[in-house]
Amino acid sequence: WAAIAPARQALDACAGASSHPAMRAMTEADLPRAAALSALIGWNQVPRDWALFLRGGAVRAIDDGQDALAATAGFIRYGGDLAWISMVLVRPDQRRRGHATTLMRWAIDALGGIGCAALDATPAGQPVYSNLGFRPLWGFARWSLPAPLPGAGGVRPLASGDWPAVLALDEAAFGAPRAALLHDFAARLPQAAFIAADGSGFALARDGARGPQIGPVVAAGDATARALIAAARNAIPGPVVIDLPDARSGLADWLTGHGGMMQRPFTRMALSAD
């Protein structure tokens, strides 16, 4: 964490912290306002997503003085060595007032000593996070999915007895345990939860303010990933999106060939304690 100190000192000098609106802990009573902020900015979070962060971590908010939220940021812990920073939202009319900087400083300070803090950055946000010491890991993009998708064989609906295998697969792929999040996702769109017949992968999905989103999908090979994605997609009516790593170019070609379209790019970034 010491590596970001010079950047933070510069940000302190520019932010005018002494005149900055007070930051406070967000509570369940704020969930409707938080969801309204997500919808205004065009993000996909619903109140249940915010509640996950309240239960598994912490969220801070800055009020606008008129019973609405000006800005938010939160984190959730996965095990003892990893935390995820998200919900960094600033209302358009409240931007360029130092809100995001103030909230990010809070999150970084609150997570001091943890092995790694990660986040997903938009192109506009990446320079901000870079100045705070976050480094890029890999890119991914959000894709819209056509319906139906072919090739859904070799998978079956997820059953309660599959959870030990699902949690083990996910921890090996993600790098940390996140059972509460996975169980929450599966409960939100149970019809879209699938596992490979040979137990080598799985797919979950969740509802969203702008439409359902498939993920996580864990699969070692593209053939299994295609089958899981197709099964989950075909189980959900209406528009659906998925986040696809740039490295999985074969899956991108498959989606493009069937009418999928890339919507927006992101960069996964991390700040380590080293």
Side-chain angles (χ1 to χ4, degrees):
W1 303 100
I4 67 165
R8 287 196 51 209
Q9 289 166 1
L11 288 167
D12 285 342
C14 295
S18 61
S19 60
H20 200 279
M23 177 178 58
R24 63 172 178 83
M26 207 177 90
T27 69
E28 288 191 2
D30 293 307
L31 291 179
R33 289 186 287 271
L37 179 60
S38 295
L40 177 66
I41 295 175
W43 290 93
N44 211 25
Q45 297 101 336
V46 296
R48 194 158 175 170
D49 293 310
W50 291 90
L52 277 171
F53 277 75
L54 290 178
R55 291 196 303 270
V59 186
R60 292 292 183 268
I62 295 173
D63 295 310
D64 71 345
Q66 299 178 355
D67 199 35
L69 300 180
T72 62
F75 63 79
I76 191 168
R77 296 178 185 270
Y78 297 121
D81 293 323
L82 175 64
W84 205 266
I85 298 175
S86 189
M87 311 305 197
V88 185
L89 303 176
V90 181
R91 212 171 66 202
D93 65 308
Q94 294 286 326
R95 290 172 181 165
R96 300 188 180 278
R97 301 186 185 189
H99 293 338
T101 297
T102 295
L103 291 162
M104 282 299 298
R105 286 204 310 266
W106 158 76
I108 290 169
D109 288 344
L111 293 170
I114 200 166
C116 179
L119 53 79
D120 291 334
T122 63
Q126 186 174 353
V128 176
Y129 301 129
S130 293
N131 288 337
L132 289 168
F134 287 82
R135 59 185 178 86
L137 300 179
W138 44 275
F140 66 97
R142 185 154 298 164
W143 287 72
S144 63
L145 296 182
L149 277 172
V155 304
R156 59 173 176 79
L158 187 69
S160 59
D162 295 320
W163 275 105
V166 166
L167 296 179
L169 285 168
D170 186 73
E171 185 169 351
F174 182 69
R178 49 178 184 170
L181 179 139
L182 298 184
H183 280 291
D184 184 85
F185 284 6
R188 288 159 64 172
L189 281 178
Q191 73 272 24
F194 288 88
I195 189 168
D198 62 2
S200 64
F202 72 91
L204 302 177
R206 65 190 184 276
D207 55 332
R210 296 172 63 85
Q213 181 167 346
I214 295 173
V217 177
V218 173
D222 282 0
T224 300
R226 288 195 299 268
L228 290 164
I229 293 169
R233 171 61 187 107
N234 297 344
I236 306 172
V240 178
V241 298
I242 189 171
D243 289 342
L244 185 66
D246 295 347
R248 304 303 287 264
S249 57
L251 292 177
D253 292 342
W254 172 66
L255 290 179
T256 300
H258 292 286
M261 295 184 64
M262 191 182 81
Q263 293 185 337
R264 62 173 73 178
F266 295 88
T267 302
R268 183 147 297 173
M269 306 183 75
L271 177 67
S272 69
D274 298 330

